[in-house]
Amino acid sequence: MSKLSKQDKVEIYHLWHDYQISPAELSQRYRVGRTNISYLLALIGRHGLTILDQPFTAYTSNFKEQALRRIIVEHEPARRVSIDLGLKSSGMLYNWLREYRKNGYNIVNKQRGRQPHDQKRTADQTGKSATQARERTLTPAELEAENRERIRKKIERLSRPADQEPQAAEIAQAVTQLRRELKVSVTFILDAINANPNLPHLSRSNYYYTLKKKDKERDNQEIMAKIKAIYEEHKHRYVYRRITAELRRRGLLVNHKEVQRLMNKLKLFGIVSKRWLKYNSYRSTQGPIKPDLIKRSFSAVYPNHKWYSDVTEIKLKGQKTYLSPIIDGCTQEIVSYTIFRSPNLKQTMDMLKKTWHKYPALNGLIFHTNQGWQYQNGQFQAWLKSHGISQSMSRKGNSLDDGLMAGFFGILKREMFYGFEKQYKNLTELEDAIRDYIEYYNQKRIKIKLKGLTLIEYRKLVLS
């Protein structure tokens, strides 16, 4: 586990715990054995992330003896004992056991600190001479035979179920490690593996293909983690195209088809459109009907040139609330809104007054609505006229004439109401959720047609 920094270990745990990335995939990504990854996850699961801050510990002879007793006398699995004791690596316990047997079943703690100079020199000379003597005694044939034996043991020790051969990725990783350890060629290692009928075989072409595939899968794991984070951040409202745009905003260039494929692999599906019912505010003719100045040309070149409004009804547990917003034809942001428990003229007039405080200069603005009774009211029409605003109305029975406003109602209900009704205990909670959603819609939700910007960012861009 020495290859991994503390940050790597924390990241591995979160990828496994939060994003359900398997130990095998994490092993490939971080180029660490799957056994070590599994041990790390079990260790953190037992002791928490604070175990990573544990300083170096010089274990006493009594501590080691008690640990080994659990294995030898009580027959506990070594891995379980290691995790229970909080050892950084399961290999520590196996080393203690090997030394214990080597020293005649006695615990011998090595002397810590630097050896005296004369002792160190003697030991170095002894070790060096032994190594040189060994190298002189091995012939090329014997060295080759020893390397083949090490290769055999390495491949046999690959972690796997008893009835299943290791995957090509595991074998390729072992081959790469053997190249570094033995200083031999890939051809030599693969020949040694393939010549042994008891070992799983791997061709040279498959080895290089697996290495290339591992690099691609590692990149995909990073993208998938980002996709899942964006998906959760936006409460499952984003589908693949909007997630692609968000990834590009964060500096990651990726094709939308690739994002769609990875989302399908992760089983992440955005909220599907659903039919919704709109409150019908028409009550026959109440006042003068204004001409349609928009004629379904909803967009505007600059903000505060075309505004649209309507009222929608949302029903929860037999009770109703009514939302009356204004949407800008250029930025498509919600300029102002009011929420009332009943549709009345005060709701509409309060919406206008809130807008006036925010934008006091509205000369030349076109304000478009349907033929609802509120918009035919003399008080409403007089207010628009006194502020230099031209009133426009849809034709009777043509809901598409106010399509921009209808589109917003559909998005709102699809992304925070339909399918989420059980989350709201009463109308108060629902109304608070509507306010939160409108804030999110203006400030955070990107729009593909507006160059992948949020509505507020697009307003700043247009006005700059």
Side-chain angles (χ1 to χ4, degrees):
M1 209 63 66
S2 58
K3 291 182 179 180
L4 301 173
S5 65
K6 177 186 174 182
Q7 183 179 355
D8 290 334
K9 294 176 182 178
V10 172
E11 186 177 274
I12 285 171
Y13 181 75
H14 284 305
L15 288 173
W16 172 77
H17 184 270
D18 298 336
Y19 300 111
Q20 289 79 50
I21 296 179
S22 68
E25 293 174 340
L26 292 170
S27 171
Q28 293 175 7
R29 174 175 177 179
Y30 289 90
R31 304 192 187 282
V32 176
R34 188 167 68 180
T35 303
N36 292 340
I37 293 289
S38 299
Y39 183 84
L40 172 65
L41 296 175
L43 186 67
I44 297 175
R46 172 71 172 79
H47 300 278
L49 290 171
T50 54
I51 192 67
L52 302 179
D53 297 321
Q54 180 181 339
F56 174 80
T57 304
Y59 297 102
T60 64
S61 298
N62 184 56
F63 181 90
K64 294 180 179 180
E65 187 173 355
Q66 293 298 324
L68 294 177
R69 178 182 177 82
R70 293 175 62 177
I71 299 174
I72 299 171
V73 178
E74 300 174 12
H75 304 290
E76 289 189 54
R79 187 174 186 272
R80 182 198 301 170
V81 175
S82 294
I83 293 172
D84 187 49
L85 296 177
L87 302 182
K88 292 294 183 68
S89 167
S90 59
M92 294 175 64
L93 201 53
Y94 289 111
N95 289 338
W96 296 349
L97 184 60
R98 184 172 60 252
E99 292 294 324
Y100 179 69
R101 289 169 175 163
K102 180 180 178 182
N103 293 306
Y105 297 91
N106 293 307
I107 299 293
V108 177
N109 269 345
K110 294 182 180 179
Q111 183 179 355
R112 304 196 62 79
R114 183 178 296 179
Q115 293 179 336
H117 183 68
D118 55 345
Q119 293 182 14
K120 183 175 185 298
R121 182 173 58 186
T122 303
D124 290 345
Q125 289 176 350
T126 303
K128 185 176 180 181
S129 60
T131 302
Q132 290 174 345
R134 180 176 176 277
E135 289 177 350
R136 283 196 300 269
T137 58
L138 285 178
T139 65
E142 290 172 334
L143 182 61
E144 178 179 328
E146 183 177 285
N147 287 339
R148 287 180 179 275
E149 180 64 13
R150 290 181 64 180
I151 292 169
R152 180 189 66 78
K153 290 181 178 179
K154 180 80 170 180
I155 301 302
E156 282 183 344
R157 285 198 301 263
L158 291 178
S159 59
R160 64 188 186 276
D163 59 342
Q164 183 180 352
E165 289 191 350
Q167 299 293 325
E170 290 182 271
I171 304 174
Q173 183 176 347
V175 170
T176 302
Q177 292 173 350
L178 288 166
R179 287 180 63 190
R180 296 170 184 163
E181 294 171 5
L182 304 180
K183 310 298 183 189
V184 296
S185 67
V186 172
T187 303
F188 177 84
I189 298 172
L190 292 176
D191 287 345
I193 294 173
N194 296 332
N196 192 325
N198 298 321
L199 297 179
H201 293 183
L202 183 71
S203 67
R204 181 184 176 88
S205 60
N206 199 12
Y207 168 73
Y208 285 107
Y209 170 78
T210 303
L211 289 185
K212 183 177 180 181
K213 183 179 178 182
K214 281 170 61 178
D215 291 337
K216 183 178 180 181
E217 288 177 351
R218 183 181 64 178
D219 293 339
N220 283 344
Q221 293 300 328
E222 295 174 357
I223 296 174
M224 288 163 71
K226 288 183 172 65
I227 288 173
K228 178 125 186 173
I230 294 170
Y231 184 76
E232 295 296 337
E233 178 185 343
H234 292 272
K235 300 181 180 179
H236 307 183
R237 293 165 180 158
Y238 276 14
V239 291
Y240 71 95
R241 289 189 181 276
R242 191 166 275 114
I243 287 183
T244 303
E246 183 63 35
L247 288 170
R248 291 175 178 173
R249 281 165 57 87
R250 301 183 184 189
L252 186 61
L253 296 179
V254 59
N255 186 273
H256 67 278
K257 293 182 180 179
E258 179 72 3
V259 174
Q260 184 182 30
R261 183 182 69 81
L262 295 176
M263 288 185 69
N264 288 337
K265 185 175 181 180
L266 290 168
K267 293 181 170 48
L268 304 180
F269 306 103
I271 298 172
V272 181
S273 300
K274 184 175 179 178
R275 284 190 64 188
W276 51 277
L277 298 176
K278 189 179 73 169
Y279 160 69
N280 184 1
S281 62
Y282 186 79
R283 292 185 189 168
S284 74
T285 303
Q286 304 290 317
I289 301 299
K290 303 296 181 178
D292 183 359
L293 304 178
I294 298 296
K295 302 188 184 301
R296 300 189 185 180
S297 178
F298 301 116
S299 61
V301 177
Y302 53 89
N304 302 340
H305 176 56
K306 296 178 181 178
W307 281 0
Y308 305 87
S309 187
D310 200 353
V311 179
T312 190
E313 169 192 287
I314 305 178
K315 186 175 181 180
L316 179 71
K317 298 178 181 178
Q319 296 180 302
K320 299 177 182 179
T321 189
Y322 297 85
L323 170 65
S324 176
I326 296 174
I327 191 169
D328 188 281
C330 174
T331 65
Q332 299 185 30
E333 65 181 300
I334 301 303
V335 178
S336 174
Y337 68 92
T338 52
I339 301 174
F340 275 52
R341 297 290 172 89
S342 62
N344 52 58
L345 184 61
K346 185 178 186 307
Q347 178 180 26
T348 306
M349 298 307 297
D350 284 355
M351 177 188 66
L352 290 178
K353 292 171 184 177
K354 285 176 63 176
T355 309
W356 175 253
H357 289 303
K358 190 175 181 180
Y359 301 106
L362 297 174
N363 291 328
L365 170 70
I366 299 175
F367 195 98
H368 183 81
T369 64
N370 57 24
Q371 294 185 17
W373 61 268
Q374 300 98 324
Y375 313 121
Q376 298 181 42
N377 184 275
Q379 184 180 348
F380 175 83
Q381 294 186 348
W383 192 95
L384 294 183
K385 185 175 181 180
S386 65
H387 290 81
I389 300 172
S390 301
Q391 186 176 8
S392 171
M393 284 187 176
S394 303
R395 294 166 295 173
K396 182 178 179 180
N398 284 270
S399 58
L400 293 180
D401 287 353
D402 199 17
L404 191 63
M405 194 75 257
F408 167 73
F409 288 149
I411 293 171
L412 177 139
K413 294 182 180 183
R414 183 173 70 244
E415 294 190 353
M416 59 77 56
F417 183 67
Y418 290 132
F420 304 100
E421 294 92 334
K422 293 182 180 179
Q423 295 181 8
Y424 311 120
K425 296 178 182 178
N426 49 51
L427 284 183
T428 301
E429 288 192 3
L430 173 60
E431 289 164 355
D432 288 341
I434 293 172
R435 294 184 185 95
D436 290 341
Y437 179 82
I438 291 177
E439 178 72 13
Y440 160 81
Y441 183 84
N442 281 342
Q443 301 287 343
K444 295 183 178 181
R445 187 181 186 275
I446 62 173
K447 203 166 184 69
I448 302 299
K449 292 183 179 178
L450 300 182
K451 304 179 181 180
L453 300 175
T454 66
L455 307 185
I456 296 300
E457 288 173 345
Y458 188 73
R459 170 180 278 272
K460 293 178 181 177
L461 177 66
V462 171
L463 295 177
S464 61

